[in-house]
PDB file of all heavy atoms in Angstrom:
ATOM      1  N   ILE A 122       7.362   5.267  29.529  1.00 90.00           N
ATOM      2  CA  ILE A 122       8.565   4.642  28.968  1.00 90.00           C
ATOM      3  C   ILE A 122       8.412   3.124  28.857  1.00 90.00           C
ATOM      4  O   ILE A 122       8.687   2.547  27.803  1.00 90.00           O
ATOM      5  CB  ILE A 122       9.814   5.030  29.780  1.00 90.00           C
ATOM      6  CG1 ILE A 122      10.072   6.538  29.644  1.00 90.00           C
ATOM      7  CG2 ILE A 122      11.032   4.230  29.298  1.00 90.00           C
ATOM      8  CD1 ILE A 122      11.260   7.044  30.418  1.00 90.00           C
ATOM      9  N   PRO A 123       7.952   2.420  29.927  1.00 90.00           N
ATOM     10  CA  PRO A 123       7.694   0.981  29.748  1.00 90.00           C
ATOM     11  C   PRO A 123       6.674   0.693  28.654  1.00 90.00           C
ATOM     12  O   PRO A 123       6.842  -0.264  27.891  1.00 90.00           O
ATOM     13  CB  PRO A 123       7.204   0.537  31.123  1.00 90.00           C
ATOM     14  CG  PRO A 123       7.750   1.548  32.061  1.00 90.00           C
ATOM     15  CD  PRO A 123       7.766   2.832  31.322  1.00 90.00           C
ATOM     16  N   LEU A 124       5.629   1.519  28.572  1.00 91.00           N
ATOM     17  CA  LEU A 124       4.626   1.319  27.529  1.00 91.00           C
ATOM     18  C   LEU A 124       5.235   1.523  26.147  1.00 91.00           C
ATOM     19  O   LEU A 124       4.938   0.774  25.207  1.00 91.00           O
ATOM     20  CB  LEU A 124       3.458   2.278  27.733  1.00 91.00           C
ATOM     21  CG  LEU A 124       2.400   1.883  28.757  1.00 91.00           C
ATOM     22  CD1 LEU A 124       1.390   2.998  28.927  1.00 91.00           C
ATOM     23  CD2 LEU A 124       1.715   0.596  28.362  1.00 91.00           C
ATOM     24  N   PHE A 125       6.078   2.516  26.023  1.00 93.00           N
ATOM     25  CA  PHE A 125       6.726   2.770  24.730  1.00 93.00           C
ATOM     26  C   PHE A 125       7.566   1.570  24.295  1.00 93.00           C
ATOM     27  O   PHE A 125       7.503   1.141  23.130  1.00 93.00           O
ATOM     28  CB  PHE A 125       7.599   4.026  24.832  1.00 93.00           C
ATOM     29  CG  PHE A 125       8.345   4.338  23.573  1.00 93.00           C
ATOM     30  CD1 PHE A 125       7.724   4.940  22.499  1.00 93.00           C
ATOM     31  CD2 PHE A 125       9.695   4.023  23.448  1.00 93.00           C
ATOM     32  CE1 PHE A 125       8.422   5.233  21.331  1.00 93.00           C
ATOM     33  CE2 PHE A 125      10.399   4.302  22.299  1.00 93.00           C
ATOM     34  CZ  PHE A 125       9.767   4.905  21.243  1.00 93.00           C
ATOM     35  N   VAL A 126       8.350   1.009  25.216  1.00 93.00           N
ATOM     36  CA  VAL A 126       9.166  -0.154  24.907  1.00 93.00           C
ATOM     37  C   VAL A 126       8.299  -1.346  24.524  1.00 93.00           C
ATOM     38  O   VAL A 126       8.550  -2.053  23.526  1.00 93.00           O
ATOM     39  CB  VAL A 126      10.079  -0.500  26.079  1.00 93.00           C
ATOM     40  CG1 VAL A 126      10.851  -1.795  25.813  1.00 93.00           C
ATOM     41  CG2 VAL A 126      11.051   0.654  26.366  1.00 93.00           C
ATOM     42  N   LEU A 127       7.223  -1.600  25.302  1.00 93.00           N
ATOM     43  CA  LEU A 127       6.321  -2.727  25.020  1.00 93.00           C
ATOM     44  C   LEU A 127       5.627  -2.540  23.680  1.00 93.00           C
ATOM     45  O   LEU A 127       5.484  -3.496  22.906  1.00 93.00           O
ATOM     46  CB  LEU A 127       5.301  -2.858  26.138  1.00 93.00           C
ATOM     47  CG  LEU A 127       5.800  -3.410  27.472  1.00 93.00           C
ATOM     48  CD1 LEU A 127       4.707  -3.348  28.533  1.00 93.00           C
ATOM     49  CD2 LEU A 127       6.262  -4.858  27.296  1.00 93.00           C
ATOM     50  N   TYR A 128       5.185  -1.320  23.385  1.00 93.00           N
ATOM     51  CA  TYR A 128       4.499  -1.077  22.121  1.00 93.00           C
ATOM     52  C   TYR A 128       5.426  -1.277  20.931  1.00 93.00           C
ATOM     53  O   TYR A 128       4.985  -1.755  19.872  1.00 93.00           O
ATOM     54  CB  TYR A 128       3.904   0.336  22.132  1.00 93.00           C
ATOM     55  CG  TYR A 128       2.507   0.393  22.700  1.00 93.00           C
ATOM     56  CD1 TYR A 128       2.186  -0.299  23.864  1.00 93.00           C
ATOM     57  CD2 TYR A 128       1.493   1.114  22.080  1.00 93.00           C
ATOM     58  CE1 TYR A 128       0.917  -0.256  24.391  1.00 93.00           C
ATOM     59  CE2 TYR A 128       0.223   1.165  22.587  1.00 93.00           C
ATOM     60  CZ  TYR A 128      -0.063   0.476  23.748  1.00 93.00           C
ATOM     61  OH  TYR A 128      -1.333   0.498  24.249  1.00 93.00           O
ATOM     62  N   GLN A 129       6.672  -0.902  21.103  1.00 93.00           N
ATOM     63  CA  GLN A 129       7.637  -1.138  20.006  1.00 93.00           C
ATOM     64  C   GLN A 129       7.856  -2.629  19.784  1.00 93.00           C
ATOM     65  O   GLN A 129       7.934  -3.097  18.647  1.00 93.00           O
ATOM     66  CB  GLN A 129       8.965  -0.457  20.353  1.00 93.00           C
ATOM     67  CG  GLN A 129       8.926   1.074  20.317  1.00 93.00           C
ATOM     68  CD  GLN A 129       8.982   1.608  18.902  1.00 93.00           C
ATOM     69  OE1 GLN A 129       8.939   0.870  17.924  1.00 93.00           O
ATOM     70  NE2 GLN A 129       9.070   2.918  18.761  1.00 93.00           N
ATOM     71  N   LYS A 130       7.936  -3.395  20.865  1.00 93.00           N
ATOM     72  CA  LYS A 130       8.166  -4.837  20.747  1.00 93.00           C
ATOM     73  C   LYS A 130       6.944  -5.567  20.192  1.00 93.00           C
ATOM     74  O   LYS A 130       7.082  -6.534  19.420  1.00 93.00           O
ATOM     75  CB  LYS A 130       8.527  -5.413  22.116  1.00 93.00           C
ATOM     76  CG  LYS A 130       9.821  -4.884  22.726  1.00 93.00           C
ATOM     77  CD  LYS A 130      11.048  -5.341  21.953  1.00 93.00           C
ATOM     78  CE  LYS A 130      12.321  -4.901  22.631  1.00 93.00           C
ATOM     79  NZ  LYS A 130      13.538  -5.333  21.887  1.00 93.00           N
ATOM     80  N   LEU A 131       5.735  -5.130  20.583  1.00 92.00           N
ATOM     81  CA  LEU A 131       4.510  -5.834  20.201  1.00 92.00           C
ATOM     82  C   LEU A 131       3.904  -5.322  18.899  1.00 92.00           C
ATOM     83  O   LEU A 131       2.886  -5.853  18.446  1.00 92.00           O
ATOM     84  CB  LEU A 131       3.466  -5.711  21.326  1.00 92.00           C
ATOM     85  CG  LEU A 131       3.853  -6.324  22.678  1.00 92.00           C
ATOM     86  CD1 LEU A 131       2.783  -6.033  23.733  1.00 92.00           C
ATOM     87  CD2 LEU A 131       4.051  -7.838  22.530  1.00 92.00           C
ATOM     88  N   GLY A 132       4.497  -4.292  18.310  1.00 92.00           N
ATOM     89  CA  GLY A 132       3.957  -3.756  17.067  1.00 92.00           C
ATOM     90  C   GLY A 132       2.695  -2.930  17.247  1.00 92.00           C
ATOM     91  O   GLY A 132       1.920  -2.767  16.289  1.00 92.00           O
ATOM     92  N   LEU A 133       2.482  -2.391  18.442  1.00 92.00           N
ATOM     93  CA  LEU A 133       1.294  -1.574  18.721  1.00 92.00           C
ATOM     94  C   LEU A 133       1.568  -0.088  18.593  1.00 92.00           C
ATOM     95  O   LEU A 133       0.635   0.716  18.721  1.00 92.00           O
ATOM     96  CB  LEU A 133       0.760  -1.882  20.124  1.00 92.00           C
ATOM     97  CG  LEU A 133       0.233  -3.296  20.352  1.00 92.00           C
ATOM     98  CD1 LEU A 133      -0.162  -3.475  21.813  1.00 92.00           C
ATOM     99  CD2 LEU A 133      -0.952  -3.584  19.441  1.00 92.00           C
ATOM    100  N   PHE A 134       2.810   0.285  18.356  1.00 93.00           N
ATOM    101  CA  PHE A 134       3.150   1.706  18.254  1.00 93.00           C
ATOM    102  C   PHE A 134       2.466   2.325  17.027  1.00 93.00           C
ATOM    103  O   PHE A 134       2.521   1.766  15.930  1.00 93.00           O
ATOM    104  CB  PHE A 134       4.662   1.873  18.151  1.00 93.00           C
ATOM    105  CG  PHE A 134       5.106   3.304  18.044  1.00 93.00           C
ATOM    106  CD1 PHE A 134       5.166   4.112  19.158  1.00 93.00           C
ATOM    107  CD2 PHE A 134       5.454   3.844  16.802  1.00 93.00           C
ATOM    108  CE1 PHE A 134       5.572   5.440  19.060  1.00 93.00           C
ATOM    109  CE2 PHE A 134       5.849   5.156  16.690  1.00 93.00           C
ATOM    110  CZ  PHE A 134       5.907   5.956  17.803  1.00 93.00           C
TER     111      PHE A 134
END
Side-chain angles (χ1 to χ4, degrees):
I122 294 179
L124 279 175
F125 177 79
V126 174
L127 287 174
Y128 271 44
Q129 290 282 6
K130 297 292 185 180
L131 298 175
L133 295 176
F134 180 79

